[in-house]
Amino acid sequence: MTPDRLPEPGSPHGNGRGAVRSPILRTEGLTVRFGGLTALDNVTLAVPHGEIRAMIGPNGAGKSTFFNCVTGVLRPTSGRIVFDGEDITGLPPHRISQKAIARSYQITNILPGATVLENVRIAAQSRHHSWSLVRHHRAFVDVIDRARAVLDAVGLGDKEEELAANLSHGEQRHLEIGIALATEPKLLCLDEPTAGMSVSETRATVELIRQIATDLTILIVEHDMEVVMGLAHTITVLHYGEVVAEGTPAEIQANPRVQEVYLKT
Amino acid sequence: MTIPFDLLLIQVINGIVTGMILALVASGLTLIFGIMDVVNFAHGELFMLGAYLGSTVFLTTGNFWLALGAAVMGIGLLGAVIQTTTLRPLLGRDPLTTILATFGLSLVLQNYALWQYGPVPRKINEPITGHFSLFYLEYPWYRLLVAVLSAAIIGGLWLFMKYGKYGIWIRATTQDRVMAAAMGIPVPLVHTVVFAIGAAMAAASGVLFGPLTGVNHAMGLDFILRAFIVVVVGGMGNLGGSILAAIFLSLLEAFASIWVSPAQAVIVSFVVLILTLLFRPTGLFVPTPK
Amino acid sequence: MTRSAAGYWIGFAVVLALLVVAPLVLPEFWRRFVTEILIWGLLAMSLDLLIGYTGMVSFGHSAFFGLGMYGAAAALLTVRPPNLWLAILYGLVGAGAVAVFVAYFSTRLRDIYFAITTLVFSQIFYVIIFTWTEVTGGENGLGFSQPAFAIPGVVSARFTPVTLHWFVLAVVTVSYLGLRRITQSPFGMVLQSIRENEPRTRAIGYHVERYKIVAVMLSGLFAGLAGVLYALQNKFAAPDFVFFLVSGEVVVFNVMGGMGTLVGPVAGAAFFFLLRELFSRFFTEYYLIPVGIIFTLMVIFVPQGLLGFLRRRLNQ
């Protein structure tokens, strides 16, 4: 699949005035050890604003661990995570979310017993009015409108009243992304968004990600190489917790070390 | 106020004796939880019914050991029936449902005992009477027998689990139910057997405990609460932990009984539970995982 | 108003009307029966907020209930003349204090450990109340007289069985409406999200611990209110109501009636008591055997409870 709409390799979206902003996400020497096992080893990287950054690597390379650190699920053993100039290392998940970092999960992690609309509405609600005890939740029209907009964006606009558990796998994966989107993030972490999808579903998801990428920075873990090569501006390759290579899709494809570690094109 | 040494000694031994019985009850409970992820609210009733069944057999035969055997077999069988009819259909559902189902069962069994046996407490006579002299006090032989027997049963269980062919089957199903089934281990049967073993152990405790205080239909309630505390403090699913916790808590309560009434002494166990849950929730005697 | 909303309010009005008329037409025994169902129903509703809406199983609601009861008793025995509003206040404060305790633990423990801890808590209070005879009357409990319904300057009248029933009905109805509004508020929607998927709720930005604490406090307060009503109705407080089996019975009401519906638990309480009446005719005091069997069967075959089918409708 040839990348047909990529900006200049390696250049982040500028703000149009020629100035280069500092990276939205930066990690310094991020290390995670579980007893004798080193899951992340001195990972230092920087993701510019507006970029789509892919993280690839064999199973166990540390990609999920990295996500867990950034989203506050795991406390790193050492190192720092800086988001938009602020040290967010070790903050709990709900605080991370409030800082405008959102995540979708590799294994679908939705509210199965709630409707599609409610899944997204509750995420949108987290930005405002969530401590009201006396007014009906439907009174907050702004929250519902935002939820509906997100549902339209992920292609589930006509399934509002459907129970989330009754959606197809592909639809659930889109709902997964929608929940994260509804929290109005600046950084969206997608954990294997196309997992378990058919070819057509994958294409639809790639298109979706392209559309939402215009306003955000995206960090994506993927195993599907076509998706990665087609979407990413920059790819970081992890192996045994270390950063083994970093560069544009073309550079990574040509990198012999990467081929040796992992890549099957 | 200095505590007389003989009082202290008696309480220590009492604590250990009660602790061993409690350990026997709790072992069954923790076994069932560890293997099947079931919180058996009816465990106290199995204990109580074991005591009643034992008392009935004792009444007719006059033989303690027959009573013990009958109770173990009878309640073990009851346990198997309960598991097959009530718990097996709930496999895979929300764990709350098994708690509720066993709670419902405990209500049924408690009142069944009340109906069947009446409110007057029954008696089982100890197989060996008489006391021995320990320093300057007389201590009943039977209590020591109880402690030894409980230890023997628990020890037997441990050996069976570690080395017995079926014990290994049981441990395999705990590790990975799907794999065990794939390897040809009859998982539903294993679950039924485990529950039956747990029930049998509870019944044995009931018969052993019978001669100490008499058999009545509320004896289960008291024990189930303590047994839960023991299981949590010892680490759920941890056999060794339950035994240590049972003895530890019984000793604490025995000491507390020197100053307050036994009814109030139970608060000590409550406090230990709360402290454990706050600071070492995986179990007091279990090393905290990193 | 949508059709289903209209249907709901019509149903509500009909039931309310029946309950208002009930004490006027029913014989004394059944009148009391209905009033007690309302009180236990309130207790069950308070538990539903935790079990049905937040997904937190508590086996300790008898503690809140009991402290509401004894709190009211304290007010009615220590302050002369006995004051209705003071009784309610003391009861709520008592239940609230316990709720703070339980709330703290609710945030540190999940699932089964929370359930066992709440059970142990209610037993702690049982033991304290049972043995602290000088203050609580121990095993025999406390007896006291019923206060008058008094609003200073407006009215002061002793309760008759009928007016007491109406008072209880009013309190329970307002509580129901309040709980309903809470569960449908943004706050209530967060509770339900916690029930559906707690980690995800955290991940989308909610400080789950704070929501759980508030849920426990609210639940405890309404349960305490039920305890106060019980004290007012029966003019005594006894430790039996703090025993953990009572907590278990309340869970039974919730499950049989249908969790997550608020009205379900009330129906569950009614169902339970009706079954008790029915089976007492044949089984005398052993009614719990058939009732227990029915409950266990329902857990296996009808887990959504009697009114569970209404859950989606009621929570629009």
Side-chain angles (χ1 to χ4, degrees):
Chain A
M1 184 163 89
T2 46
D4 47 20
R5 161 227 74 96
L6 279 187
E8 280 297 301
S11 74
H13 290 168
N15 58 6
R17 279 176 260 144
V20 175
R21 300 162 76 180
S22 60
I24 190 171
L25 178 71
R26 197 162 45 88
T27 69
E28 294 167 6
L30 200 60
T31 305
V32 176
R33 270 186 222 113
F34 301 114
L37 174 69
T38 305
L40 282 182
D41 197 351
N42 209 0
V43 172
T44 300
L45 54 78
V47 180
H49 284 264
E51 182 174 274
I52 300 181
R53 168 74 61 107
M55 290 190 95
I56 67 174
N59 279 322
K63 312 185 293 295
S64 289
T65 312
F66 184 80
F67 262 31
N68 286 336
C69 282
V70 170
T71 54
V73 176
L74 205 55
R75 205 193 184 95
T77 317
S78 63
R80 292 209 313 161
I81 307 170
V82 179
F83 179 71
D84 227 358
E86 196 186 332
D87 189 335
I88 60 168
T89 324
L91 283 184
H94 68 274
R95 293 282 303 276
I96 297 273
S97 172
Q98 297 289 344
K99 301 278 176 204
I101 299 177
R103 172 189 184 162
S104 80
Y105 293 78
Q106 177 186 346
I107 300 177
T108 310
N109 200 10
I110 56 181
L111 311 181
T115 61
V116 166
L117 178 62
E118 180 55 28
N119 265 269
V120 174
R121 192 205 66 83
I122 193 80
Q125 186 191 282
S126 68
R127 302 299 116 167
H128 5 250
H129 319 301
S130 50
W131 275 104
S132 170
L133 271 114
V134 288
R135 294 179 63 193
H136 198 291
H137 69 269
R138 289 231 196 84
F140 298 96
V141 181
D142 52 338
V143 173
I144 300 185
D145 285 343
R146 163 121 192 109
R148 289 211 167 105
V150 169
L151 280 183
D152 284 333
V154 300
L156 289 172
D158 55 340
K159 300 241 181 217
E160 255 184 38
E161 288 303 312
E162 198 65 52
L163 267 186
N166 295 339
L167 293 182
S168 74
H169 176 76
E171 287 168 335
Q172 282 189 349
R173 300 299 291 152
H174 278 210
L175 181 61
E176 185 63 44
I177 297 175
I179 294 175
L181 260 189
T183 60
E184 299 168 37
K186 292 188 208 153
L187 171 67
L188 181 60
C189 302
L190 299 173
D191 199 343
E192 296 191 41
T194 66
M197 282 188 181
S198 67
V199 172
S200 58
E201 285 172 335
T202 304
R203 279 209 196 103
T205 307
V206 167
E207 206 30 62
L208 167 62
I209 296 176
R210 282 219 185 101
Q211 277 166 15
I212 61 186
T214 49
D215 316 298
L216 335 147
T217 309
I218 295 189
L219 196 56
I220 176 169
V221 163
E222 253 301 341
H223 277 297
D224 186 331
M225 279 306 127
E226 289 196 0
V227 171
V228 172
M229 296 302 165
L231 270 180
H233 300 145
T234 312
I235 300 178
T236 301
V237 184
L238 285 184
H239 188 51
Y240 288 133
E242 282 185 302
V243 176
V244 153
E246 207 167 87
T248 67
E251 288 167 2
I252 294 296
Q253 263 175 320
N255 186 321
R257 174 95 168 93
V258 173
Q259 282 169 8
E260 156 197 328
V261 155
Y262 172 56
L263 214 53
K264 301 159 276 208
T265 329
Chain B
M1 179 193 99
T2 54
I3 308 160
F5 179 70
D6 49 355
L7 180 58
L8 203 61
L9 190 60
I10 290 187
Q11 290 303 82
V12 166
I13 302 181
N14 278 342
I16 294 180
V17 169
T18 327
M20 288 312 300
I21 301 183
L22 191 53
L24 194 53
V25 174
S27 305
L29 198 57
T30 210
L31 182 73
I32 293 174
F33 181 78
I35 310 284
M36 299 166 56
D37 245 331
V38 166
V39 179
N40 183 16
F41 244 90
H43 209 70
E45 273 59 54
L46 296 171
F47 168 83
M48 179 261 297
L49 282 175
Y52 267 114
L53 186 55
S55 75
T56 312
V57 172
F58 180 77
L59 216 56
T60 42
T61 65
N63 187 317
F64 177 86
W65 303 105
L66 269 180
L68 183 62
V72 165
M73 306 293 302
I75 301 301
L77 194 60
L78 178 65
V81 168
I82 288 177
Q83 199 276 342
T84 338
T85 54
T86 342
L87 295 176
R88 210 181 271 185
L90 297 177
L91 194 65
R93 298 222 316 230
D94 186 357
L96 170 64
T97 48
T98 53
I99 299 176
L100 291 174
T102 51
F103 177 73
L105 277 173
S106 79
L107 288 179
V108 173
L109 293 175
Q110 243 180 77
N111 284 276
Y112 169 76
L114 188 57
W115 175 48
Q116 184 76 344
Y117 295 103
V120 178
R122 297 287 187 92
K123 188 97 175 75
I124 304 179
N125 292 332
E126 49 260 28
I128 42 173
T129 51
H131 305 67
F132 63 92
S133 297
L134 182 65
F135 294 90
Y136 25 91
L137 27 94
E138 300 277 309
Y139 200 78
W141 276 117
Y142 178 65
R143 287 185 173 239
L144 279 188
L145 179 67
V146 163
V148 167
L149 272 179
S150 302
I153 296 177
I154 296 175
L157 177 73
W158 183 78
L159 283 172
F160 169 71
M161 293 290 289
K162 201 140 203 271
Y163 301 114
K165 168 181 171 201
Y166 299 108
I168 296 178
W169 280 17
I170 293 175
R171 288 193 289 137
T173 50
T174 323
Q175 305 253 343
D176 190 332
R177 193 177 295 155
V178 179
M179 268 313 289
M183 282 172 31
I185 297 178
V187 172
L189 184 61
V190 168
H191 282 175
T192 308
V193 168
V194 166
F195 198 85
I197 293 178
M201 288 172 77
S205 322
V207 177
L208 287 175
F209 192 69
L212 297 180
T213 58
V215 177
N216 62 76
H217 76 280
M219 62 196 294
L221 289 175
D222 221 17
F223 258 83
I224 189 74
L225 207 48
R226 284 200 174 83
F228 271 125
I229 296 175
V230 163
V231 165
V232 173
V233 168
M236 297 200 73
N238 185 324
L239 196 60
S242 302
I243 298 168
L244 284 174
I247 299 181
F248 174 62
L249 286 173
S250 296
L251 280 173
L252 278 182
E253 277 194 36
F255 286 137
S257 309
I258 298 179
W259 290 283
V260 297
S261 73
Q264 292 167 318
V266 74
I267 294 192
V268 167
S269 294
F270 293 151
V271 172
V272 171
L273 173 73
I274 292 175
L275 291 174
T276 308
L277 285 172
L278 280 181
F279 300 114
R280 292 185 78 100
T282 44
L284 208 53
F285 305 104
V286 175
T288 356
K290 286 274 150 53
Chain C
M1 203 185 270
T2 64
R3 265 190 60 201
S4 70
Y8 169 79
W9 286 112
I10 292 175
F12 177 79
V14 167
V15 172
L16 192 57
L18 286 174
L19 289 171
V20 168
V21 167
L24 300 170
V25 300
L26 290 174
E28 171 67 15
F29 175 80
W30 290 103
R31 196 274 315 158
R32 254 189 106 90
F33 187 81
V34 174
T35 315
E36 289 233 353
I37 289 181
L38 284 174
I39 297 176
W40 289 102
L42 177 59
L43 180 59
M45 281 197 287
S46 75
L47 181 61
D48 200 23
L49 186 66
L50 282 189
I51 288 191
Y53 287 89
T54 321
M56 293 165 66
V57 180
S58 160
F59 273 99
H61 262 58
S62 58
F64 303 131
F65 185 72
L67 256 86
M69 209 169 46
Y70 275 91
L76 295 172
L77 284 172
T78 54
V79 178
R80 294 255 162 272
N83 186 314
L84 174 67
W85 311 107
L86 208 60
I88 294 179
L89 180 68
Y90 275 40
L92 289 179
V93 166
V98 178
V100 168
F101 238 145
V102 176
Y104 175 71
F105 284 97
S106 73
T107 60
R108 319 265 306 234
L109 304 167
R110 350 153 263 114
D111 315 331
I112 176 65
Y113 296 101
F114 176 65
I116 294 182
T117 308
T118 52
L119 195 156
V120 167
F121 260 146
S122 66
Q123 271 312 91
I124 291 180
F125 283 104
Y126 174 76
V127 170
I128 295 177
I129 290 174
F130 193 88
T131 52
W132 203 9
T133 323
E134 317 86 62
V135 170
T136 63
E139 200 173 338
N140 300 313
L142 300 169
F144 41 84
S145 50
Q146 215 176 58
F149 179 78
I151 302 174
V154 178
V155 61
S156 174
R158 300 218 67 92
F159 281 113
T160 67
V162 173
T163 55
L164 182 67
H165 173 94
W166 286 339
F167 180 72
V168 167
L169 179 61
V171 172
V172 173
T173 307
V174 169
S175 301
Y176 167 71
L177 292 172
L179 279 168
R180 185 160 186 271
R181 179 38 69 94
I182 290 174
T183 56
Q184 289 173 329
S185 71
F187 169 81
M189 299 311 286
V190 178
L191 293 188
Q192 296 186 65
S193 180
I194 294 174
R195 178 195 67 214
E196 288 296 310
N197 190 333
E198 185 175 321
R200 196 70 202 267
T201 308
R202 221 182 284 274
I204 56 180
Y206 290 106
H207 193 152
V208 166
E209 280 68 39
R210 287 211 189 124
Y211 285 87
K212 282 186 170 180
I213 289 176
V214 175
V216 171
M217 297 283 329
L218 286 172
S219 180
L221 285 174
F222 280 105
L225 185 58
V228 171
L229 290 177
Y230 193 87
L232 291 175
Q233 150 105 330
N234 294 296
K235 295 172 273 205
F236 70 81
D240 312 45
F241 297 103
V242 190
F243 198 68
F244 77 89
L245 281 185
V246 171
S247 297
E249 279 177 8
V250 184
V251 177
V252 168
F253 302 161
N254 278 49
V255 172
M256 287 208 300
M259 300 187 284
T261 56
L262 286 185
V263 285
V266 183
F271 184 56
F272 180 88
F273 286 115
L274 281 170
L275 284 181
R276 183 172 80 171
E277 276 316 305
L278 176 66
F279 286 119
S280 296
R281 308 280 154 106
F282 306 107
F283 295 90
T284 55
E285 64 260 39
Y286 309 116
Y287 66 90
L288 270 178
I289 302 180
V291 174
I293 294 177
I294 292 181
F295 169 68
T296 310
L297 287 173
M298 283 187 77
V299 169
I300 303 175
F301 297 111
V302 195
Q304 70 278 16
L306 293 172
L307 296 186
F309 66 93
L310 285 177
R311 186 158 143 168
R312 263 197 86 179
R313 287 277 235 82
L314 288 171
N315 287 313
Q316 292 299 3

